[in-house]
Amino acid sequence: FFRSMMMESPPPSPEGRTRASPSPRRPGRPALAIVPASPSPPRARRSGIIPASPSPSRSESPYRDPFRSDSVDRFSESASNVSRRAGSPVSEARSARAASPVAPGPNTSDPVWYVRDTKIWGTEVDVVKFAETISSFLSNFKLLNQTTPFYPALMKLTQEKRRQSSSSNMDINIDAQHIEGFDTHVYHTLVKYPSEAILMIDVTLNQYFRDHLATEEEFDTRFVARLYNLKEPKTMRSLGPADVDTLVSIKGMVTRVSKIIPEMKVAYFRCMDCFASVNVKPHKGRITEPHRCTNCKQPFTYMLQHNLSEFENKQIIKLQEAPEAVPEGETPSAITMTVFDNLVDFVLPGDRVVVTGIFKAAGIRTKSTSRVIKSVFKTYLDAIHISKVERHKISTSDLESGGANEYQSTFEEGQPREGEEDSAVSEGDEEAIQALAQRPDIYQLLTKSLAPSIFAMHDVKKGLLCQLFSGANKAWERTRVRGEINVLLCGDPGVAKSQLLSFVHKIAPRGIYTSGRGSSSVGLTAYVVRDADSGEMVLESGALVLSDKGVCCIDEFDKMSDATKSVLHEVMEQQTVSIAKAGIIATLNARTSLLAAANPVDSKWNRDLSIVENLKLEPTLISRFDLIYVLIDRVDIKVDSYLAQHIIRLYQTHNDDLDKQNPEAAVAPQRRTRGQHTVTVGTEEVIPLELLTKYITYARRRINPTITEDARSDLVNNYVELRKARGRGENTVSATTRQLESLIRLSESLAKMRLSGKVERVDVQEAYRLMTDSLRQSAINPRTGRMEIDQLFGGVDSSLGNAEGLATKLQAYLSGRTMPRQIYINKLKQEFMQAEDIRKEIPRWQFVDVLKMLVNTGHVRSLNTSEGTVTFSAE
């Protein structure tokens, strides 16, 4: 009806036309049309309803859209009058006209005239009433126990911080549940018609600031409203056709972030004949080129001038369901979302976020050159607000929330949804953390608080605590020295290795949990795929890259293929992933701590074999772990009795009010009272999980300890002591510089536990104890009883003599026999051991090293380790 009315009536003047409203993200993107709510008057009086003004005819301006006019400016003026108090000149003029018995033609000097009785096109939403309600909400809404309106104070605070920091960020986070509590009808309008409602909130918010709060210098300030915290969030897989063009809130994990894309905001066209120019704004995502010049009237003379057009930053992000939210037997759902302006480069792959945005659908062309579109549309999310919220997760971001006000829209850590806690540390939390740090038994208290449902294993828990607190990262002349600590758990089955991994994964920052058998090399690092939208080859981040600045937990570490294990060497030492495939050459950051669990090849740990022989892992890979714990199921009646009682107590205790997602709460902890910072689990005093994560977060962010002179001397002495403990043979050592670096990292993490800015001697002594205990389990030669680091680095077993001695024996064996031209390495090893009466198994890697010494000596011509063969020189 409105379209036909516009076509039959004279063209409206610039003051009388209506224009589609811009997008809620930014002005200028049409999304709103305002039409009269009452039926149209007779045709004879139509010229009086829509004032005529000189304008080009329809044939001269076919590109004009009847829904595009200057309603944005007129609605802004309307909001200004709504927010002003009665008695203004406009209000008096309106009252005078209402009191007049004869109503002449409309007075276009009143900016509220055309929108007073209008509604959003296709809806029953009255524009003016909506603006009045939002203005009243801004003026009257107060938080509990507060006497002043909340949002005016928030706007003042944002403006003050912008002035102090010279920041261009003027985003205001508006809690949707505040609007729902103030007016339910407005909230439902916001959810049902977000494109129009968010625009009206944006305009009303800025007009309210100009009329009530702004000074002359601040009159041009423009705030951007960011709505979040919907009452009914949705899951990613539940979004359907009914949710299109509505406001939704979903939670997921970021898996891919595109590069910054410039999107045209205003197109500048110039006539090539008369050089007249015109600005065209996008309409529904498209720029319509003017067909005829409005000055010289020549057709098809306009040319787009890119350097004079206006652009804005845009980014495409792929969001995937978090692994813990995927139903049983299902694959994770994914959705694409677009972000603009201040949300660009806000999230990174691996972040878990809650996104509030408009769920949209767009047609797909059958061919790039065809205008025919498919019947199935693609859906995406136009993000309005993003918050990084992780319940009971350690935060590693260097950014912090803006002051004590959680609604301050600096977007660093976002705001929690109802029922979730933010991992950011508040002032009250800081007081509790400082009080805990003053306790002399804080080290033991932290140990008992980590996985209290797992019985004993105190040294293992201390090593995991060191991994969570981590050391201090350093950069020397463009060389980065890692501060992350890698831990390997191995041993008999059924000793809670996987349970420890699960607990660390639950509280670890940006943690990824995967299994060795189900992981590939590209799945751990990065893989190249073709983007469905652009057709370009792009990188998809793997588990190690997604765990950047976090902890990557890998179960069944021994089940990995050789190709998968080979990619871990660079990650565990250089903390990077190098990619060179499909024309993409890149180095990705993988600054992650690795926590792995492995089982022996024979299921049961063989104490007569070394750790390399039990796990069948490469020595070069095992040597990159800072701490290696061998967990053996020993038979001890007293310990078994305590363990059985502990497990039975867990099964007996049950509380329906406990959080089902927190297995550590299954022991029914007592509630804390004011002033208390610990709870009782069974008979042990522990720190609650929420406060424990904040304690670790505080230590990782704020504490960067330095090594004192006394600690430096102890580190040197301890390293020298480790080097003295040599095995038999000249080539065996008990420590290398990697062990020294591990000592430094462990000492720094122990200092962080005390919130100390200095590494003291007590930290070095405890780090040395943890190191030596770990080496006694992993680097002990079962044949000699000595600690030999060579076993971890691939050296020769000292009980078999040095490498030169074995090479001499093998050379003598080959000289006295006629050997075939080619033989398998394993077969040669068995024949050599039988001939020399060597009863102790020679590791394959050790035998290969001996064969390498005989290459080009006249007996061994070449060695093919991939095929497992050795070729002898022809006699």
Side-chain angles (χ1 to χ4, degrees):
F1 166 75
F2 183 72
R3 187 182 295 272
S4 62
M5 182 185 71
M6 294 294 295
M7 295 179 64
E8 295 176 6
S9 63
S13 65
E15 291 78 17
R17 293 194 303 266
T18 58
R19 172 182 293 171
S21 302
S23 167
R25 296 186 303 269
R26 54 219 179 268
R29 181 175 289 272
L32 170 66
I34 302 175
V35 298
S38 58
S40 173
R43 183 171 181 176
R45 300 177 57 191
R46 192 167 294 167
S47 60
I49 295 176
I50 302 180
S53 62
S55 63
S57 62
R58 283 184 287 116
S59 59
E60 295 177 351
S61 56
Y63 67 91
R64 293 184 179 272
D65 191 328
F67 291 94
R68 296 183 61 194
S69 63
D70 50 351
S71 65
V72 176
D73 300 331
R74 290 165 34 72
F75 176 73
S76 177
E77 295 174 1
S78 172
S80 173
N81 286 275
V82 169
S83 61
R84 293 171 188 162
R85 288 174 291 184
S88 63
V90 177
S91 300
E92 292 175 358
R94 187 187 304 114
S95 301
R97 288 197 308 271
S100 176
V102 179
N107 184 2
T108 58
S109 63
D110 186 355
V112 189
W113 167 75
Y114 195 63
V115 296
R116 167 51 63 184
D117 296 322
T118 57
K119 297 182 180 181
I120 299 176
W121 182 79
T123 71
E124 295 295 326
V125 179
D126 189 276
V127 173
V128 176
K129 289 182 179 179
F130 189 91
E132 291 174 348
T133 306
I134 294 299
S135 181
S136 176
F137 166 75
L138 295 174
S139 303
N140 301 319
F141 178 80
K142 302 174 183 178
L143 294 177
L144 294 177
N145 303 324
Q146 289 190 4
T147 58
T148 58
F150 173 69
Y151 285 100
L154 179 59
M155 286 188 280
K156 290 182 180 179
L157 179 62
T158 304
Q159 178 67 15
E160 182 66 24
K161 289 199 172 188
R162 176 179 179 268
R163 187 184 301 109
Q164 294 176 357
S165 61
S166 300
S167 172
S168 60
N169 188 355
M170 297 300 293
D171 298 325
I172 296 292
N173 291 348
I174 298 180
D175 194 329
Q177 294 199 24
H178 290 174
I179 299 178
E180 197 271 341
F182 187 83
D183 192 312
T184 306
H185 177 70
V186 172
Y187 173 79
H188 290 306
T189 301
L190 171 66
V191 174
K192 193 173 181 180
Y193 310 108
S195 298
E196 298 83 358
I198 293 177
L199 168 66
M200 291 189 287
I201 292 175
D202 209 7
V203 173
T204 306
L205 179 72
N206 285 278
Q207 193 62 53
Y208 181 89
F209 178 76
R210 297 190 190 100
D211 293 342
H212 297 85
L213 304 174
T215 61
E216 293 184 2
E217 296 80 7
E218 301 171 345
F219 196 77
D220 293 333
T221 301
R222 183 182 181 277
F223 292 97
V224 177
R226 302 282 185 182
L227 277 298
Y228 77 104
N229 196 18
L230 298 185
K231 187 177 181 181
E232 297 178 355
K234 294 181 176 291
T235 59
M236 199 176 300
R237 61 181 62 243
S238 66
L239 296 176
D243 300 311
V244 174
D245 287 335
T246 63
L247 193 66
V248 298
S249 178
I250 60 175
K251 185 176 182 179
M253 182 178 67
V254 178
T255 59
R256 191 178 72 197
V257 177
S258 72
K259 61 183 179 182
I260 297 179
I261 305 170
E263 182 171 271
M264 190 169 291
K265 187 177 180 180
V266 177
Y268 184 90
F269 288 94
R270 175 179 291 175
C271 178
M272 293 294 99
D273 287 349
C274 64
F275 299 103
S277 62
V278 62
N279 291 331
V280 179
K281 295 182 179 180
H283 176 57
K284 294 183 179 180
R286 295 183 179 180
I287 299 289
T288 304
E289 180 182 357
H291 292 175
R292 188 181 297 273
C293 178
T294 57
N295 185 35
C296 64
K297 311 303 180 183
Q298 295 297 321
F300 305 109
T301 59
Y302 276 118
M303 180 173 290
L304 179 64
Q305 306 292 320
H306 290 85
N307 57 336
L308 297 177
S309 302
E310 296 182 17
F311 296 86
E312 61 181 345
N313 292 335
K314 174 183 176 181
Q315 205 169 41
I316 300 176
I317 298 174
K318 184 178 180 181
L319 197 67
Q320 180 179 295
E321 276 185 311
E324 59 272 11
V326 180
E328 293 80 1
E330 299 286 344
T331 57
S333 299
I335 190 173
T336 301
M337 67 176 183
T338 57
V339 296
F340 296 85
D341 300 330
N342 293 330
L343 295 182
V344 171
D345 278 345
F346 172 60
V347 296
L348 298 173
D351 288 342
R352 284 174 167 81
V353 296
V354 175
V355 182
T356 304
I358 305 174
F359 187 59
K360 294 185 175 181
I364 307 174
R365 292 187 179 185
T366 55
K367 296 180 181 180
S368 59
T369 57
S370 173
R371 301 186 65 180
V372 179
I373 63 174
K374 299 179 181 179
S375 59
V376 178
F377 282 37
K378 70 173 183 179
T379 57
Y380 66 97
L381 194 65
D382 191 354
I384 302 297
H385 180 277
I386 300 178
S387 59
K388 300 177 185 177
V389 179
E390 296 185 2
R391 188 179 187 182
H392 299 320
K393 288 279 186 178
I394 302 169
S395 176
T396 58
S397 175
D398 295 333
L399 304 175
E400 298 178 7
S401 297
N405 192 337
E406 67 172 354
Y407 297 92
Q408 179 63 32
S409 59
T410 50
F411 281 112
E412 277 79 2
E413 287 299 330
Q415 290 79 42
R417 292 189 299 170
E418 185 177 359
E420 292 192 354
E421 295 81 10
D422 190 4
S423 60
V425 180
S426 62
E427 294 182 0
D429 296 329
E430 186 172 354
E431 294 178 0
I433 290 170
Q434 293 292 346
L436 286 174
Q438 299 301 321
R439 294 185 51 162
D441 62 338
I442 181 61
Y443 184 41
Q444 290 74 20
L445 184 61
L446 288 171
T447 304
K448 292 185 292 185
S449 303
L450 185 70
S453 63
I454 298 177
F455 179 72
M457 304 176 65
H458 299 298
D459 277 351
V460 178
K461 293 180 180 180
K462 291 175 181 177
L464 296 180
L465 273 177
C466 291
Q467 184 180 45
L468 290 174
F469 280 89
S470 78
N473 294 316
K474 304 173 183 64
W476 303 328
E477 298 179 356
R478 300 181 181 179
T479 301
R480 182 181 181 275
V481 180
R482 69 179 175 98
E484 288 76 17
I485 297 173
N486 301 319
V487 180
L488 174 63
L489 306 179
C490 54
D492 294 328
V495 289
K497 297 190 297 296
S498 298
Q499 291 296 326
L500 287 170
L501 260 68
S502 299
F503 182 86
V504 172
H505 167 66
K506 282 182 171 57
I507 67 172
R510 298 167 59 87
I512 297 294
Y513 188 95
T514 183
S515 175
R517 187 178 292 276
S519 302
S520 62
S521 58
V522 294
L524 288 179
T525 55
Y527 52 97
V528 179
V529 296
R530 187 176 297 277
D531 188 18
D533 298 325
S534 63
E536 298 179 353
M537 304 302 292
V538 296
L539 279 177
E540 288 277 3
S541 300
L544 293 172
V545 179
L546 293 176
S547 301
D548 186 34
K549 290 189 176 181
V551 178
C552 183
C553 302
I554 303 179
D555 204 357
E556 304 293 340
F557 191 69
D558 55 296
K559 305 298 191 302
M560 280 186 172
S561 62
D562 293 337
T564 307
K565 296 173 188 175
S566 62
V567 303
L568 297 175
H569 291 79
E570 180 188 3
V571 174
M572 296 179 66
E573 198 61 40
Q574 281 75 38
Q575 303 273 281
T576 57
V577 172
S578 299
I579 299 295
K581 57 179 70 174
I584 298 177
I585 302 175
T587 300
L588 308 177
N589 287 325
R591 297 160 294 185
T592 176
S593 299
L594 190 63
L595 176 60
N599 293 318
V601 291
D602 297 329
S603 183
K604 190 72 175 176
W605 191 267
N606 190 345
R607 302 186 186 183
D608 296 330
L609 301 178
S610 66
I611 184 173
V612 177
E613 296 167 337
N614 268 294
L615 299 179
K616 297 296 183 184
L617 293 176
E618 295 183 15
T620 54
L621 185 61
I622 295 180
S623 65
R624 283 170 165 78
F625 286 97
D626 298 276
L627 295 174
I628 302 175
Y629 291 102
V630 179
L631 307 179
I632 299 177
D633 187 9
R634 294 184 175 89
V635 178
D636 189 321
I637 297 178
K638 186 176 181 179
V639 175
D640 293 343
S641 176
Y642 286 140
L643 176 60
Q645 293 177 10
H646 177 79
I647 295 176
I648 293 173
R649 190 186 307 117
L650 293 179
Y651 278 87
Q652 285 180 332
T653 308
H654 180 71
N655 189 350
D656 294 334
D657 297 331
L658 294 178
D659 187 359
K660 295 181 180 180
Q661 296 182 353
N662 180 14
E664 302 306 322
V667 230
Q670 300 175 358
R671 291 185 176 273
R672 281 187 294 163
T673 59
R674 187 175 183 84
Q676 293 181 346
H677 310 304
T678 60
V679 296
T680 303
V681 176
T683 58
E684 298 288 345
E685 181 187 13
V686 300
I687 303 174
L689 185 59
E690 175 190 351
L691 185 57
L692 175 64
T693 57
K694 293 183 177 182
Y695 189 99
I696 302 176
T697 297
Y698 183 87
R700 291 175 66 108
R701 286 185 178 180
R702 307 287 182 88
I703 309 301
N704 190 17
T706 58
I707 302 175
T708 61
E709 288 296 326
D710 293 340
R712 183 180 65 84
S713 300
D714 285 355
L715 284 170
V716 173
N717 296 333
N718 292 336
Y719 175 66
V720 173
E721 289 295 326
L722 284 175
R723 293 283 292 181
K724 286 181 180 179
R726 302 173 64 91
R728 189 179 67 188
E730 297 179 356
N731 296 330
T732 60
V733 295
S734 57
T736 64
T737 53
R738 279 187 177 173
Q739 276 62 51
L740 177 59
E741 292 178 345
S742 297
L743 277 175
I744 296 174
R745 286 190 287 265
L746 292 173
S747 302
E748 291 173 342
S749 64
L750 290 168
K752 286 185 177 182
M753 295 183 197
R754 299 184 293 105
L755 300 186
S756 174
K758 295 182 179 180
V759 177
E760 305 290 347
R761 298 185 64 178
V762 62
D763 302 319
V764 177
Q765 293 171 3
E766 177 62 16
Y768 179 72
R769 189 191 67 83
L770 292 174
M771 172 69 68
T772 52
D773 287 350
S774 172
L775 290 177
R776 287 193 186 100
Q777 300 178 54
S778 58
I780 290 294
N781 191 329
R783 302 178 181 90
T784 63
R786 294 178 179 271
M787 186 167 58
E788 300 174 2
I789 294 295
D790 272 8
Q791 293 192 107
L792 302 183
F793 283 84
V796 178
D797 189 345
S798 62
S799 64
L800 300 174
N802 54 29
E804 290 80 3
L806 273 180
T808 303
K809 291 182 179 180
L810 182 58
Q811 184 174 353
Y813 169 78
L814 297 176
S815 302
R817 287 168 177 78
T818 302
M819 303 299 297
R821 190 171 185 276
Q822 191 178 63
I823 189 174
Y824 285 104
I825 296 176
N826 290 335
K827 183 179 180 181
L828 177 61
K829 184 185 70 170
Q830 295 299 329
E831 294 178 355
F832 171 68
M833 291 176 60
Q834 292 177 4
E836 297 295 329
D837 195 19
I838 299 177
R839 298 182 181 180
K840 298 175 182 177
E841 180 71 19
I842 301 177
R844 185 179 185 276
W845 53 266
Q846 183 174 337
F847 191 72
V848 169
D849 289 342
V850 173
L851 287 174
K852 289 179 181 179
M853 300 175 65
L854 299 182
V855 175
N856 298 327
T857 61
H859 294 85
V860 178
R861 180 178 181 181
S862 62
L863 187 66
N864 191 335
T865 56
S866 60
E867 297 181 1
T869 60
V870 56
T871 304
F872 297 101
S873 301
E875 293 294 341

